[in-house]
Amino acid sequence: MKSFEITRNIPRMETINKAAEITGLSKHFIRQKAVNGEIVCVKAGNKYLINVDRLIEYLNNGHTLKPAPPVSESGIKPIPVKL
């Protein structure tokens, strides 16, 4: 009788804090992507577990971070007014 080995790819799931450490991204950014359903994650109780490999894949496939708009020297960003 032949023995068969079943291999399963278990995803690397990490908390938002750990995913932020691994990727160098902010916790807020990762949390927003998880809440909006833009990245693969599961909600376990009140925590999100992020599939880190899929997050890195998401970033590598052209989903780049847009640079923040320039802020004035005082740190106050002007708000455009619509008339």
Side-chain angles (χ1 to χ4, degrees):
M1 192 173 216
K2 293 183 181 180
S3 65
F4 294 97
E5 185 176 319
I6 298 174
T7 58
R8 295 180 183 177
N9 293 332
I10 299 173
R12 183 170 55 150
M13 305 298 283
E14 299 289 351
T15 63
I16 291 174
N17 292 342
K18 186 67 176 174
E21 273 182 43
I22 292 168
T23 61
L25 299 170
S26 74
K27 292 180 248 183
H28 176 75
F29 175 81
I30 295 174
R31 185 176 297 107
Q32 288 304 109
K33 294 295 179 188
V35 169
N36 294 336
E38 296 178 52
I39 59 176
V40 178
C41 64
V42 293
K43 190 168 183 186
N46 62 352
K47 291 186 177 189
Y48 284 94
L49 295 176
I50 309 299
N51 184 325
V52 177
D53 298 323
R54 296 289 297 273
L55 172 61
I56 293 169
E57 183 182 311
Y58 170 85
L59 295 169
N60 285 334
N61 285 333
H63 296 91
T64 58
L65 305 177
K66 296 179 183 174
V71 177
S72 68
E73 290 179 24
S74 66
I76 299 172
K77 185 170 65 172
I79 300 173
V81 178
K82 294 182 181 178
L83 298 176

